[in-house]
Amino acid sequence: MRTLSHSYYMNIALELAKEASPLVLPNPRVGCVIVKKGTIIGKGYHQKYGEKHAEVLAIEDAIKNGNSLKNATMYVSLEPCCHFGKQPPCTDAIIKSGIKKVVVAIKDPNPLVNGKGIQILKQHGIEVIEGILEKEAESVNKDFFKYMKKGIPYIAIKVAQSIDGKIATPSNKRFLFNTDDENIFVHSLRQKYMATMVSVNTVISDNPILNARYGPIVRQPIRVVLDSKLRIPLDCNIVKTSDKYSTYIVCSENVNDVRKIELLSKKGIKIIFATSSEDGHLDLLDAFSKLAQQKIVSVLVEGGSLLNFSLLKQRVVDYWYSLIFNVFIGGQNTKSVVGGEGFEDFFPKLVNTKVTTFKNSTIIEGDITYV
């Protein structure tokens, strides 16, 4: 019998992890396969936050099909958890199952685990092999890894622009050329990320709802408004729909409008206070740190050119989507995708790009690096 490599089975576990829907957030995407005598006898992947983890589902799958787990090998794309959360420790289930070897792609960056799960398995006589397709495993959960390692969410920016880089008309009106293709794409993005963010300027000028309305609806994003001086209108769509969709407003800790804070809070809006500079602008790193404390792992920013510039300048943006419509707008002073004073000393760069073409537009997306 030909023996397949650890990478072969781990790749299957990673493909299972990729099947996880946004319902797993804020948990990581994890896939697992169990192999015995060269045959896969069980599979599983984490499907919904608070429900059974991949390892337990794979064990149950193997047993359901009449297989004994004694002396079997488990391949899992992330180190098994060893603490009680919404579910009991996966290490307990593995130890009880009779599995003799566990192959782990990468350690869990969560401080509650981070090597402890592996150590517990070894202490119970289970052989553990680490680092199989480690880079690929981190890529599957790049949002979760950033959140755990840096204490701020994974941040993506989505912009809609003309082919010459403009985001509004010369009279500052937002242009709308969306067809079903673009709407389904954008609203699927809102479900992919835990939260969708805009500045209060966008709320005032565009009055968005920021929910998911097109295509298959799996989950609704948390809506976040950056509003240093708490200028958000009480009659805007964000406030009017706050009973339906989870909504956060991040304002300066110097805001003392107690009445407005009470009114917004009564509508179910969570007010988060962040530090601000002398000129009143929010400290973006502190704002994102406070959002991370709310277990917000990833954020899709749909703001304006100044917010885009500020986030790039802070070097916190991880991913970029440009929705480029096949039109020209022109105008020397018309707002462009990235505003501010521009970059001189370093230049954010798009890498690992992917291009998707629709009838009336093109999507260019990719990772952001800073050079």
Side-chain angles (χ1 to χ4, degrees):
M1 183 190 305
R2 184 169 66 93
T3 302
L4 297 173
S5 68
H6 289 320
S7 295
Y8 173 83
Y9 294 113
M10 187 60 74
N11 192 60
I12 296 174
L14 287 169
E15 289 303 312
L16 284 170
K18 293 175 185 177
E19 292 186 27
S21 80
L23 291 174
V24 304
L25 298 170
N27 278 355
R29 305 158 193 83
V30 182
C32 179
V33 296
I34 300 173
V35 179
K36 188 171 182 179
K37 296 181 179 179
T39 300
I40 294 176
I41 61 173
K43 294 181 180 181
Y45 65 92
H46 188 35
Q47 297 179 26
K48 187 177 181 180
Y49 177 69
E51 296 187 356
K52 293 176 182 178
H53 292 184
E55 299 93 322
V56 172
L57 290 171
I59 288 171
E60 290 181 350
D61 184 49
I63 294 172
K64 178 185 68 177
N65 293 322
N67 295 297
S68 168
L69 292 166
K70 186 177 180 180
N71 296 326
T73 299
M74 172 180 282
Y75 293 82
V76 61
S77 62
L78 188 70
E79 177 184 9
C81 66
C82 56
H83 64 288
F84 281 90
K86 297 285 185 180
Q87 293 289 323
C90 289
T91 49
D92 287 358
I94 295 169
I95 291 164
K96 292 176 184 177
S97 71
I99 288 170
K100 74 168 183 177
K101 182 188 295 184
V102 176
V103 183
V104 176
I106 192 168
K107 287 182 180 177
D108 189 335
N110 187 340
L112 294 173
V113 187
N114 197 20
K116 299 182 184 73
I118 291 171
Q119 184 180 9
I120 288 171
L121 293 176
K122 288 180 177 179
Q123 288 171 348
H124 284 81
I126 296 173
E127 180 185 355
V128 179
I129 298 174
E130 302 176 48
I132 304 299
L133 300 185
E134 186 172 7
K135 290 182 179 179
E136 292 85 347
E138 183 170 356
S139 178
V140 169
N141 283 301
K142 52 189 178 181
D143 49 359
F144 181 75
F145 273 80
K146 181 190 178 183
Y147 165 76
M148 282 295 174
K149 289 182 176 181
K150 296 188 176 181
I152 63 173
Y154 183 88
I155 300 168
I157 288 178
K158 187 276 296 180
V159 296
Q161 64 181 82
S162 65
I163 202 166
D164 55 337
K166 306 298 184 179
I167 62 173
T169 67
S171 62
N172 207 29
K173 291 182 181 179
R174 187 163 63 106
F175 65 93
L176 296 172
F177 296 101
N178 293 30
T179 67
D180 284 346
D181 286 338
E182 291 86 17
N183 284 329
I184 290 171
F185 179 85
V186 170
H187 287 249
S188 69
L189 285 186
R190 289 182 179 174
Q191 298 176 74
K192 179 179 178 180
Y193 294 86
M194 277 199 72
T196 298
M197 172 184 285
V198 295
S199 70
V200 70
N201 291 330
T202 297
V203 174
I204 292 170
S205 63
D206 297 342
N207 197 20
I209 299 178
L210 292 181
N211 63 345
R213 302 184 300 278
Y214 295 88
I217 309 298
V218 176
R219 61 176 292 274
Q220 290 291 346
I222 297 168
R223 305 178 303 175
V224 180
V225 179
L226 296 180
D227 185 5
S228 61
K229 298 178 182 179
L230 206 58
R231 296 187 294 126
I232 190 167
L234 293 175
D235 62 349
C236 71
N237 286 328
I238 293 288
V239 174
K240 288 195 294 187
T241 58
S242 58
D243 59 330
K244 298 180 181 179
Y245 310 111
S246 179
T247 307
Y248 292 11
I249 296 176
V250 185
C251 65
S252 168
E253 59 189 9
N254 297 322
V255 168
N256 55 12
D257 190 340
V258 176
R259 182 176 177 275
K260 191 167 187 179
I261 290 172
E262 288 180 352
L263 285 172
L264 292 169
S265 298
K266 285 180 180 179
K267 292 180 177 293
I269 296 173
K270 188 174 184 66
I271 308 296
I272 296 177
F273 297 95
T275 57
S276 60
S277 58
E278 291 183 2
D279 59 5
H281 289 104
L282 288 173
D283 180 329
L284 292 174
L285 287 176
D286 187 54
F288 280 111
S289 176
K290 296 288 174 57
L291 291 173
Q293 290 170 21
Q294 301 296 317
K295 295 187 177 181
I296 294 178
V297 170
S298 58
V299 176
L300 177 68
V301 179
E302 299 189 55
S305 61
L306 287 177
L307 180 56
N308 293 341
F309 172 74
S310 297
L311 294 173
L312 289 168
K313 185 178 180 180
Q314 291 279 346
R315 306 188 188 205
V316 294
V317 183
D318 302 286
Y319 205 81
W320 184 278
Y321 301 91
S322 276
L323 177 53
I324 305 171
F325 289 95
N326 302 337
V327 296
F328 293 88
I329 291 179
Q332 184 173 349
N333 298 316
T334 307
K335 284 185 179 178
S336 62
V337 170
V338 180
E341 65 266 24
F343 300 104
E344 289 283 356
D345 299 326
F346 77 97
F347 303 96
K349 184 179 180 182
L350 199 66
V351 298
N352 303 321
T353 55
K354 176 184 174 182
V355 178
T356 304
T357 303
F358 297 135
K359 181 179 179 181
N360 297 317
S361 64
T362 301
I363 309 290
I364 299 179
E365 60 184 277
D367 298 305
I368 295 286
T369 62
Y370 300 90
V371 295

